Structures are given as structure tokens and as C-alpha cells.
Amino acid sequence: MKKYIALILSMYLFLACEKVESIVDFPMVPSKLVANCEMNEDSVWMLQLSKSLSVLDNAEIKKIDTAKVKVYEDGQLLEVLQSAGSEGLYFGQSKPKSDKLYRISVDGVTGFDSIYAEGRLPEKAYLKDVESTVIDSFYQTDDWGYSYGYMDVEFTFTIEDNPNIENFYGIRAYRLDTFYLDIDSTQLEVYKQYLSLEFDDPIFEESSSWNLLLLKDAIFNGQTVKVKANTYYYDYRPGVNIYFECISFNEAAYLYKVSYATHLNVANNPFAEPVQVYSNFENGYGILSGMAITEKVMPL
Amino acid sequence: MRILVILSFLASILNAQQFTISGYLSSKESGEKLIGASVFDEQSKLGTVSNTYGFFSLTIPKGRVNLRFSYVGYESKLFVFENAKDTAINIEMEEALNLKEVEVSAERIERIEQESQMSIVNMPVEQIKALPALLGEVDVLKAVQMLPGVQSGTEGGSGIYVRGGGPDQNLILLDGTPVYNVSHLFGFFSVFNADAINNIKLIKGGFPARYGGRLSSVMEINMKEGNMKKIRGEGSIGAIASKLTLEGPIIKDKSSFIVSARRTYIDILAQPLIRAASSGGEDVSTGYYFYDLNAKLNYKFSDRDRIYLSAYMGDDKFYYKMRPYSYLYDGVLYEEKNDAHLAWGNITSAFRWNHQFSNKLFSNLTATYSHYDFNVRNYQETIQTSDTGVLRNIMGVEYLSGIDDWAVKLDFDYLPSPNHYVKFGAHYTYHTFKPGATSYQLEVTGVTNIDSTSGADNVHAHEMALYVEDDWKLSDRFKANIGLHLSGFQVENTFYAMPQPRISLRYLMWGDWALKGSYANMQQYIHLLTNGGVGLPTDLWVPVTQNIKPQKSDQIALGIAKTLNNRYLFSIEGYYKWMDGLIEYKDGASFLGSETKWYDKVESGKGTSYGVEIFVHKKTGRTQGWVGYTLSFTDRHFDNLNFGKSFPYKYDRRHDLSFVFTQKIDSLWDFSMTWVYGTGNALTLPIERYLGLPNNDGYGYIYPTEIEHYDEKNSFRMASYHRLDVGFKNAKKTKWGERTWSFGVYNAYNRQNPFYYYFGYDRNNNRALKRVSLFPFLPSVSWGFKF
């Protein structure tokens, strides 16, 4: 009798704990054009064009290099960007200017609706009283000849903000470093190594994305903002320059960066609410963003 | 108090030709007080109902009275006498056992058209206990979910969503004490043990002024008081839990007790399997259980004074414990310990004192305590003993949150004449919110010693309310319940106060069809931060702050109601509800994994809900049950969510249909069946992926980025939910009492209802959206007894 009871109980528990999975019909939505263009008054026009895929599609996302990409400045055609090959990149000759309204339209791709977006470059941030203080540092060379160390730096600065408009900023800092292109190479390439940053006062912090601190002007109009930078690197050498950047973003760029950073942070968190990434291309996806960089070199 | 007595005295002078008949109504078998029983004089056509404590008072003109007392499931009683003086009369009513359908008129039929209020449902507990249940475990809230206007959350969950409101907007009172988390096992069962419950009332709109503090519903659950006549017992042994209830007199007809306990035993059954499965010599103990315990005592000093002491305690716990074990390695003795758990639970207790000042003035003083806590803990300890000494490594993390309430309430029922039933009173609650603290313990002998706590500090708040309401019979056809609830909330340096008017009207049209309308303004000073619909104990109760404003709602409702054919309570109601001050997590925010304070993780917004509910309810006779249908539309609007566009609420459910049927076949067998249908819940899913701006990783590498595009928030609909449950009961008298075999089938046609969705891969390694269903066809059997 005990055996039967145990058997019934086991079957029951087995049934109760069963988790049934089934495949659900999910609409395969038609692809749309995707354009990404970062306006910067220091760079010529560049746009990357690709197409979206259904979330169920395993294929690699394809770039598109056969489109007509037109740039309009204050309603007048400025230029048609030229395709530069299979990476879906299109380049122009001119650079965007502040105080102009730009519109980018993409069409001429069979099977796709034309897409467009509008935007302006933001005003450059006016920085003053930028100072840096090394809080702590450490450097030594080990028995193998490798040098390593770390450095804590604090930056203070003031952004003179235009109080009449809403402004959006990004703060980042980097140093220049070098690397060999490949193992046999003798030629050193220079690259920007960005430092990890955090605001001294959490009220400034809106979000961060890839070592870029993002903030809106609403809470600090005219105030001095302190930023702490901490970095640790194996080949630390005293006496390098740190480049401190304050990037002024237009609203679209800011919304994109904040939403993308959050989107990425919660990608695998089942308890977090999913995040839509901001897009401003009508009839498609992508971002026409604008930024203006103010840079200060800080010898340390 | 003296003023009240004088008022009462003046009223009796003004009604010089009228006399008051007052007293208590109770069950003859158990002495249990009968709540909402009807007292009606067939001569003057005047009547009243008994209150929560069974007290009634009816003032009627001098002369002959034909006084009928009636209550659902009991044989009605008629008293004929000359009303020549104030009379105190206590009535004991007999249960109407085995009444045939044709004899149903002997029972009292609740007449829905007589009530001035609308959007109220009284659920007989016996009807709930007759329904088929998940794994044989009868659940009060699951029965409530089948009422129109009430939506369930996800598969199996016992969360309730009333007229587009959130789970925090329900004031669930157990003997007058708010219960903050009503879920066991992530919501698959509720904390209410049906064996310990006497009465359930749900109010969805047209709230009387005596209630406040929540926007969407009030559910009053009253525990049984305990049999005043003799010792009785009731219990059952089921597949996952067993329960036992004992009740009886301490002093016959003067004092009684009831104790009811329930515990699951999945952990005990599974323990040998877990031990067998664990390898490596560790002695592992892991599992899950929940239990709850209800207890109540009452003592009757006299017909005028009675006290009650009731308590509830319940806990859920998932645990993993590795018993200390040691091993020798390289001359070092290692001793290891590991202990982790996730636990949550409620404690509520209430002390009540009923006092009858006069035959027209009744008071109840209540002092309550309510506690809810949730904690997750992980603790690891390693001790290394060698020739050089002892090294101790400890790593512990604990997350705690909860809420504590101390409250006192003074409520009065004043019945100056049959045309007025006045209620007034004052409430005060002292809240302590513990909105999430994480403590870390890190200790390495001689190296580190960290013991710190981070997160939000405890917040103390004072909530108070005054109210007055009158159920006023303006004429034979026109009745109104008019009231005002004035509440205030003090938190830190901020004080919120709000007068909340309430009105319900009833007009009896031709053929005794009642036309009913109501307006209720509600204000809520506490919020629940919730991540999902799975009744997670991680949900966090938080108060309003200077920046996070109170939730408010305005609800209007209009409907018709009538008792059809003396058996069926029929109603159609339409409602529209505006809500403001709702909070939601910001995009990407989560309860864990951040030191950000809770108020920096939320957004405030608005919501609307409107719909139509149809309800036909039969509470008497051999065949009982109900049919409910709801058509509803619910959305939310947050400036900083969904890029400022309105979006459907997660539980926006266009259609909701329930069919509940119980049939007494003969003296041995009962049959029951429920079928529910609901439009699928709204969900946010990505639909496409595309390339974003390339990213620099900070070390010079530029990466292409891929973005999953979510369409509008909650734009995807889960598959519709429908399920058939069937049950049979066989009850047989024995020498010692009664035994019952209950057989049930949950999800009789094995519908794969959605629990959650995720993106995975099919057999061909193609990406696919997968639906996970929890409960397939699930038979159950339990054995019950009564003595």
C-alpha cells in the first residue's frame, strides 16, 4: 500500500511541476530602413544605412549601399552623400553648421519606404575653471619589466549654460595610448583610452553610457560640477595628458544615448522593465543626432 | 460620548410614538454572529440589516409588528408581537439544511434592489469551499477573481486587479486589519484559509465613507468567532497541504475560541530525493514551505459589551542549507557552511471591543497591528585551520524590506429611525515603512571586517481619517448613501489632506428594477513598487513623499439591478474611473542591483479605466453559482514612459467571462464546475532588431551595436486564457462526525495557458517566441473531516 501511495504522490508531484513550452506564432514584420548619422561640426557628413530584421530572423543584418541619401539645409538641398562600399557608409563633402536645420532623407531602395529625420547641431558647451587634482596614484615596475599602477583624479569644472534652452551634456575623459596592429607589426597605432568616471554628487547623474556621463541642464544651471575619475591600468606612466571632454548633445542624441545605455543594462534582467531605444527616423529606425565637443587638455 | 447618549435620547423623544427593537443575530448551531442578515417588519414595511457584529436596531411605530428575520442559508423566523416599548431581542437562527429548490422561499433571498449601494458582492464562504480548486486547495481570492470587474494576474496567481487598478489599490482587511501581501508561493495560493473565514465582502466602487486609503476595492474578510455551543473540528489532508481547525466554547454562550492552521509539505516529501541527488558529501537541505495560523478569542461580558482578540501569522520560505562539513587538504582543515533563504510573511492582530451605548447606538473600538516583511539572505563561512593559525572567511548579503502598522479605530453605528443608518468614526495609523535595505558582511580574519547597510532608511508616517455617512431612505423608491471621508497623511515634513465625498443613489423603477448610481473620490497615501505580475514578494510598499504625490481616483458608476424570480441577483453596471498619481518603475529600473533610492526609480502618471459588468448570482438552493462578464478598457499615461504616449495597462483585459456552477446531486454527492475566459495580458516584446550607432569600448575598439526594437509599451497580447475546472465531493456522516472525499481536476481540457513568454530557439535552431505554461491537466484528491 505504501508503495502505491508513494507512486501516486510522485506522479502527482511530477505532474504539478511540469512546465510546458510551446512555440508561439509571432508576426514577422517587414524590414525597414535604418539610418544612423551623428552630426558634428568637426566632421564631414557620414551616415550608415542598413535594414532591420525581425527579432526572429537569425540572419546577419545587411548594410545597404544603393540608396540616395540627401542632406537638406534649411529646406534647400545641400548635397547627396556618396556610398563608400559594402559597409553601408555614405559620406559628404561638407560639415554641418550650428544654427541650421538639417533634414536627411533616404530613398531609392527597392521594397522600402523612404525615411527621413530632422535635427540641429547643439550649441557648444562653454567650460570654465576646469581643474584636475590627483587624489592618489601608484606606480611601479615589476621584476619582469612590466610597469603598472593606478591613479585617482578629480576634475572640477563649470558649464556656463544657456538658461533659455534645454541643454544636454556628456562628460568623458581619455588618454592617448598605443597598440600594435597585430603580433608581427612594428607600427604602433594611437587610440583613445577612455577613463571610468563618476559624478561626485549623485544628483547630477542621469545615466552613463560607455564611460560617458550624461546629464541635463535643469538641475545644475550655472553650478560647478565635480567629476571624479578613477582609472587603473597596467602600463600607467606618470606625466601623461588627460583629455577632458564636455560634449553638448541635441535632445535626440541625449534620448538615444540614455535609452540605449538603459536598454543595454537591463538586456538580461527578467525583473527590469524593458526599454525602448529612442529613434527619430520617420518610417524607419535610427538616429540623426547632433553633438559639439569642447575639449581641455590636462597635463598630469 | 455623553453628547452621543444625549443625541440618542433626544431622538427617542422626537420619535415618541415609535419604539426600538434591537439585538443580535446569531447561528443556533454555532453561536456565530450573522452579518448582513435582514430584519423586516411586514406591517410597516420597514427594515434594516445586521452589522459586522450581528447587531441590529429597528425603530418602528407603536402597534402590531410582524418581524421577519432572514439570512442566506438559514430558515427565516417570524415574530408577531405588540410593539409597545423598546425591546431587546437576541435571535438564534437555524441552518436551512437540505432545502429543496421549491422550499427556497423559506430561506432569505438577498434583495439586491433594496440596497442603496452598488458594486458590492457578498460571497458566502460555503459557496467558495464548494468550488474546484488548484491542487485541491480552496482559495478565497481565486473565487473573488471570477467576479466581474475583478481580474486575475498571471496563470495561477491570486493577485486581484479591480476595475483597472493595481494590486496595491485593494484594501484587504482581515478582521479590520490590513494585510499587505496576500500571496503564498508567489501568488499561487492566498494567505486566507477558508476554514477560518466567516464572511467575505468585496466593494468595487461607490465606496461608503467609512472606507479609505485605497483606490480600487475594499475586501472585508471576517474570521469565524468560534463555536459558542460545543467543540467542533474540521480539517483536510491534501496533496500539498493539510489543515486543521478547532473551535469551541471556553465558557458556553459567553466565550469561545477558534484556531486554524495550515502547512504545505512539499519540502518534507521532496527531502529524501534532494539528499539522494546531492553529491560530493555535502549534506544539503533545500525546499519550500508555507504555513499560516489563524486564532481568535472572544468574550461576552454582557449583551452590551463584548471583546475579540484575533491574530493571523503566516510565512513563506525557500531555503538552502548546507550543513557544516569539513575536509583536509594539504595539511589545512577546511570547514564550510552555507545558508541561503528567501522568506516573506505577515503578522496581523486585532483587539476589538463592541459596546452598545443604547438600542440605537453601537460602537466598536479596534486596535490593530499589521506587519509584513521580506528578506533574502546568503551567508557563506569558511574556516581554515592549520599549524599557523585559524583563518575565518565570512561573506553575507541580506536584503530586507517591509512595513509595520499600528492602528486604532473607533466606529459608531447610529440608527435614529428606520430611514437613517448613520455611521461615523475616526481612524489613526502609525506606519513604519522599511523600503529596502541591503546589508553586507565581509570578514577575513586579520584583513577585512565590513559590516554595513545601504539603501533607504525607515520612514515613519501618520495616517488619519474622519468619516460620516448616512444610509438614508428618502422615500419608498428613493434611497441614498451619502458620506464624507476626510483623510490626512503626515510623512517627514509633508502633510497631505483631502476631503473625499462619496454618494450612492438608488431609485426603484417599475417592476422593482433598481436604477443605481454612485460617485466616489478616493485617495491613497501608499504605493506598491512592483516589477511584474507574479505576486513577487519583492514588491515594495512605500509612502508618498514630498515629490511622489498620493494616488487619487474619481469613479462614477451607473447600473440597474433586480432579484429575478426570487432567486437570481442580476445586475448590469457601467463605470468610468480616472486615476492620478500612479507610479511605475522607470524604464530599466529594478528592485535589486542598485543602490539608487526607490523614489529615484519611479515615474508618476495617470490612468483611466472604463467598462461594463454583467452579473447573475444565485446563492441559494441545490443549484448555485454565477455568471459574470466584463468588458473593460484600461490604460496608463506617464510623461516619461513610452515616450509620453498612452499605453494599455498590463492587465487591460477586453473580455472576461466566468461561469461558476455547483450542484447538490444527493445527500452524498456534490458537483462543481468553473469555466473562465479572459483576453490575454498585455506585454512588451521586441519585434525587430537593427544596428545602432557604433560604440567605442573605451579601449580603442569600435563595435557595431545591435538594438532590439520594442514597439509601443504593452502592445503585444498574450494568448487568451481559458480553463475548465471540475470537482466532485462525497460527504458521509460517520459515528464521529462527517468525512469528505474531494476529487478535482484543474484545467480539465489541458489548455496551455500562458505564464510567460521568452525568445529561444526551435529544433532547427531558428529563433522562436516561446510560451511557457505552468499547469496542465491536474487532478487532485483530498480527504476532509468534521466533528
Side-chain angles (χ1 to χ4, degrees), chain B residues 616-644:
Chain B
V616 185
H617 195 178
K618 185 170 185 290
K619 295 185 186 179
T620 54
R622 300 169 71 89
T623 307
Q624 296 185 19
W626 68 83
V627 179
Y629 170 73
T630 309
L631 171 72
S632 64
F633 301 81
T634 303
D635 66 18
R636 297 285 190 261
H637 185 100
F638 287 72
D639 289 344
N640 293 319
L641 293 181
N642 203 37
F643 299 110

Short mmCIF file of all heavy atoms in Angstrom, two decimals, chain B residues 616-644:
data_model
loop_
_atom_site.label_atom_id
_atom_site.label_comp_id
_atom_site.label_asym_id
_atom_site.label_seq_id
_atom_site.Cartn_x
_atom_site.Cartn_y
_atom_site.Cartn_z
N VAL B 616 -24.92 37.69 -12.76
CA VAL B 616 -26.11 36.96 -12.30
C VAL B 616 -25.63 35.98 -11.24
O VAL B 616 -24.75 35.15 -11.51
CB VAL B 616 -26.79 36.18 -13.45
CG1 VAL B 616 -28.08 35.53 -12.96
CG2 VAL B 616 -27.07 37.07 -14.64
N HIS B 617 -26.15 36.08 -10.05
CA HIS B 617 -25.64 35.30 -8.93
C HIS B 617 -26.79 34.57 -8.24
O HIS B 617 -27.79 35.17 -7.89
CB HIS B 617 -24.97 36.27 -7.93
CG HIS B 617 -24.10 35.58 -6.92
ND1 HIS B 617 -23.39 36.28 -5.97
CD2 HIS B 617 -23.82 34.28 -6.70
CE1 HIS B 617 -22.71 35.43 -5.23
NE2 HIS B 617 -22.96 34.21 -5.64
N LYS B 618 -26.62 33.28 -8.04
CA LYS B 618 -27.62 32.51 -7.30
C LYS B 618 -26.92 31.92 -6.08
O LYS B 618 -25.95 31.17 -6.20
CB LYS B 618 -28.18 31.38 -8.19
CG LYS B 618 -29.30 30.62 -7.54
CD LYS B 618 -29.98 29.69 -8.55
CE LYS B 618 -31.19 29.00 -7.92
NZ LYS B 618 -30.83 28.00 -6.92
N LYS B 619 -27.43 32.29 -4.89
CA LYS B 619 -26.74 31.91 -3.67
C LYS B 619 -27.47 30.84 -2.88
O LYS B 619 -26.99 30.41 -1.84
CB LYS B 619 -26.57 33.12 -2.76
CG LYS B 619 -25.69 34.21 -3.31
CD LYS B 619 -25.52 35.28 -2.24
CE LYS B 619 -24.77 36.47 -2.75
NZ LYS B 619 -24.64 37.49 -1.72
N THR B 620 -28.65 30.49 -3.31
CA THR B 620 -29.45 29.57 -2.52
C THR B 620 -29.92 28.38 -3.35
O THR B 620 -29.86 28.41 -4.58
CB THR B 620 -30.70 30.27 -1.96
OG1 THR B 620 -31.39 30.85 -3.05
CG2 THR B 620 -30.33 31.34 -0.95
N GLY B 621 -30.37 27.34 -2.66
CA GLY B 621 -30.93 26.17 -3.34
C GLY B 621 -29.88 25.13 -3.64
O GLY B 621 -28.70 25.27 -3.31
N ARG B 622 -30.31 24.08 -4.30
CA ARG B 622 -29.40 22.97 -4.61
C ARG B 622 -28.45 23.33 -5.73
O ARG B 622 -27.35 22.80 -5.82
CB ARG B 622 -30.21 21.73 -5.01
CG ARG B 622 -31.16 21.26 -3.90
CD ARG B 622 -32.11 20.21 -4.44
NE ARG B 622 -31.40 18.97 -4.69
CZ ARG B 622 -31.23 18.00 -3.79
NH1 ARG B 622 -31.72 18.15 -2.58
NH2 ARG B 622 -30.59 16.91 -4.08
N THR B 623 -28.91 24.20 -6.61
CA THR B 623 -28.04 24.67 -7.69
C THR B 623 -27.65 26.10 -7.38
O THR B 623 -28.51 26.95 -7.17
CB THR B 623 -28.80 24.64 -9.04
OG1 THR B 623 -29.33 23.33 -9.22
CG2 THR B 623 -27.88 24.99 -10.19
N GLN B 624 -26.38 26.33 -7.32
CA GLN B 624 -25.91 27.68 -7.03
C GLN B 624 -24.80 28.05 -8.00
O GLN B 624 -24.28 27.21 -8.73
CB GLN B 624 -25.36 27.76 -5.60
CG GLN B 624 -26.39 27.51 -4.52
CD GLN B 624 -25.83 27.72 -3.12
OE1 GLN B 624 -24.81 28.35 -2.94
NE2 GLN B 624 -26.51 27.17 -2.13
N GLY B 625 -24.42 29.33 -7.98
CA GLY B 625 -23.31 29.75 -8.83
C GLY B 625 -23.53 31.13 -9.38
O GLY B 625 -24.40 31.88 -8.91
N TRP B 626 -22.73 31.47 -10.37
CA TRP B 626 -22.91 32.76 -11.00
C TRP B 626 -22.32 32.79 -12.41
O TRP B 626 -21.52 31.93 -12.77
CB TRP B 626 -22.30 33.88 -10.18
CG TRP B 626 -20.81 33.91 -10.06
CD1 TRP B 626 -19.92 34.44 -10.95
CD2 TRP B 626 -20.01 33.41 -8.98
NE1 TRP B 626 -18.64 34.32 -10.48
CE2 TRP B 626 -18.66 33.69 -9.27
CE3 TRP B 626 -20.32 32.76 -7.79
CZ2 TRP B 626 -17.62 33.33 -8.44
CZ3 TRP B 626 -19.27 32.40 -6.94
CH2 TRP B 626 -17.95 32.68 -7.27
N VAL B 627 -22.78 33.77 -13.15
CA VAL B 627 -22.20 34.07 -14.46
C VAL B 627 -21.80 35.54 -14.41
O VAL B 627 -22.60 36.39 -14.02
CB VAL B 627 -23.21 33.84 -15.60
CG1 VAL B 627 -22.58 34.18 -16.95
CG2 VAL B 627 -23.71 32.41 -15.60
N GLY B 628 -20.57 35.82 -14.76
CA GLY B 628 -20.11 37.21 -14.76
C GLY B 628 -19.41 37.53 -16.06
O GLY B 628 -18.66 36.70 -16.60
N TYR B 629 -19.65 38.72 -16.57
CA TYR B 629 -18.97 39.15 -17.80
C TYR B 629 -18.52 40.59 -17.62
O TYR B 629 -19.26 41.42 -17.10
CB TYR B 629 -19.90 39.04 -19.01
CG TYR B 629 -19.29 39.70 -20.24
CD1 TYR B 629 -18.23 39.09 -20.91
CD2 TYR B 629 -19.74 40.94 -20.67
CE1 TYR B 629 -17.64 39.71 -22.00
CE2 TYR B 629 -19.16 41.56 -21.77
CZ TYR B 629 -18.11 40.94 -22.43
OH TYR B 629 -17.51 41.56 -23.50
N THR B 630 -17.31 40.86 -18.06
CA THR B 630 -16.79 42.23 -18.00
C THR B 630 -16.21 42.62 -19.35
O THR B 630 -15.41 41.87 -19.92
CB THR B 630 -15.65 42.35 -16.95
OG1 THR B 630 -16.12 41.79 -15.73
CG2 THR B 630 -15.25 43.80 -16.73
N LEU B 631 -16.61 43.78 -19.81
CA LEU B 631 -15.96 44.40 -20.98
C LEU B 631 -15.25 45.62 -20.43
O LEU B 631 -15.87 46.49 -19.80
CB LEU B 631 -17.02 44.83 -21.99
CG LEU B 631 -16.53 45.68 -23.16
CD1 LEU B 631 -15.72 44.84 -24.14
CD2 LEU B 631 -17.71 46.33 -23.88
N SER B 632 -13.93 45.69 -20.61
CA SER B 632 -13.23 46.82 -19.98
C SER B 632 -12.08 47.33 -20.83
O SER B 632 -11.55 46.60 -21.70
CB SER B 632 -12.72 46.42 -18.60
OG SER B 632 -11.75 45.41 -18.73
N PHE B 633 -11.72 48.57 -20.59
CA PHE B 633 -10.63 49.24 -21.30
C PHE B 633 -9.80 49.98 -20.23
O PHE B 633 -10.35 50.81 -19.50
CB PHE B 633 -11.17 50.26 -22.30
CG PHE B 633 -12.07 49.66 -23.34
CD1 PHE B 633 -13.41 49.40 -23.07
CD2 PHE B 633 -11.57 49.33 -24.59
CE1 PHE B 633 -14.25 48.83 -24.03
CE2 PHE B 633 -12.40 48.77 -25.56
CZ PHE B 633 -13.75 48.52 -25.27
N THR B 634 -8.53 49.69 -20.15
CA THR B 634 -7.70 50.32 -19.12
C THR B 634 -6.38 50.78 -19.72
O THR B 634 -5.72 49.99 -20.41
CB THR B 634 -7.39 49.31 -17.99
OG1 THR B 634 -8.63 48.84 -17.49
CG2 THR B 634 -6.61 49.96 -16.86
N ASP B 635 -6.02 52.03 -19.50
CA ASP B 635 -4.71 52.46 -19.98
C ASP B 635 -3.99 53.31 -18.96
O ASP B 635 -4.54 53.69 -17.93
CB ASP B 635 -4.82 53.16 -21.34
CG ASP B 635 -5.57 54.47 -21.26
OD1 ASP B 635 -5.71 55.00 -20.16
OD2 ASP B 635 -6.02 54.97 -22.31
N ARG B 636 -2.73 53.58 -19.26
CA ARG B 636 -1.86 54.38 -18.39
C ARG B 636 -1.20 55.45 -19.25
O ARG B 636 -0.95 55.24 -20.45
CB ARG B 636 -0.76 53.50 -17.78
CG ARG B 636 -1.29 52.41 -16.86
CD ARG B 636 -1.73 52.99 -15.54
NE ARG B 636 -2.04 51.98 -14.55
CZ ARG B 636 -3.25 51.56 -14.26
NH1 ARG B 636 -4.31 52.02 -14.92
NH2 ARG B 636 -3.44 50.68 -13.30
N HIS B 637 -0.90 56.58 -18.59
CA HIS B 637 -0.19 57.64 -19.31
C HIS B 637 0.88 58.23 -18.38
O HIS B 637 0.56 58.81 -17.34
CB HIS B 637 -1.16 58.74 -19.75
CG HIS B 637 -0.50 59.78 -20.59
ND1 HIS B 637 -0.59 59.81 -21.95
CD2 HIS B 637 0.32 60.81 -20.25
CE1 HIS B 637 0.13 60.82 -22.42
NE2 HIS B 637 0.69 61.45 -21.40
N PHE B 638 2.13 58.04 -18.75
CA PHE B 638 3.26 58.58 -17.99
C PHE B 638 4.09 59.42 -18.93
O PHE B 638 4.46 58.94 -20.01
CB PHE B 638 4.13 57.44 -17.43
CG PHE B 638 3.51 56.69 -16.30
CD1 PHE B 638 2.45 55.83 -16.50
CD2 PHE B 638 3.99 56.84 -15.01
CE1 PHE B 638 1.87 55.14 -15.45
CE2 PHE B 638 3.43 56.16 -13.95
CZ PHE B 638 2.36 55.30 -14.18
N ASP B 639 4.39 60.66 -18.53
CA ASP B 639 5.14 61.55 -19.41
C ASP B 639 6.49 60.96 -19.82
O ASP B 639 6.96 61.19 -20.93
CB ASP B 639 5.39 62.91 -18.71
CG ASP B 639 4.09 63.70 -18.61
OD1 ASP B 639 3.12 63.35 -19.33
OD2 ASP B 639 4.03 64.64 -17.79
N ASN B 640 7.10 60.20 -18.91
CA ASN B 640 8.45 59.70 -19.20
C ASN B 640 8.50 58.21 -19.51
O ASN B 640 9.56 57.60 -19.45
CB ASN B 640 9.38 60.02 -18.03
CG ASN B 640 9.58 61.51 -17.88
OD1 ASN B 640 9.74 62.21 -18.87
ND2 ASN B 640 9.53 61.99 -16.66
N LEU B 641 7.37 57.62 -19.78
CA LEU B 641 7.36 56.22 -20.22
C LEU B 641 6.71 56.15 -21.58
O LEU B 641 5.78 56.92 -21.88
CB LEU B 641 6.58 55.33 -19.24
CG LEU B 641 7.15 55.14 -17.84
CD1 LEU B 641 6.25 54.21 -17.03
CD2 LEU B 641 8.56 54.59 -17.89
N ASN B 642 7.17 55.23 -22.38
CA ASN B 642 6.61 55.04 -23.72
C ASN B 642 6.69 56.34 -24.53
O ASN B 642 5.81 56.63 -25.33
CB ASN B 642 5.16 54.54 -23.63
CG ASN B 642 4.70 53.82 -24.87
OD1 ASN B 642 5.48 53.10 -25.49
ND2 ASN B 642 3.45 54.03 -25.25
N PHE B 643 7.71 57.14 -24.26
CA PHE B 643 7.91 58.44 -24.91
C PHE B 643 6.66 59.32 -24.82
O PHE B 643 6.28 60.01 -25.76
CB PHE B 643 8.39 58.27 -26.35
CG PHE B 643 9.71 57.55 -26.43
CD1 PHE B 643 9.80 56.27 -26.93
CD2 PHE B 643 10.86 58.14 -25.93
CE1 PHE B 643 11.01 55.59 -26.95
CE2 PHE B 643 12.08 57.47 -25.95
CZ PHE B 643 12.15 56.20 -26.46
N GLY B 644 6.01 59.24 -23.67
CA GLY B 644 4.89 60.14 -23.40
C GLY B 644 3.56 59.71 -24.00
O GLY B 644 2.56 60.40 -23.83
#
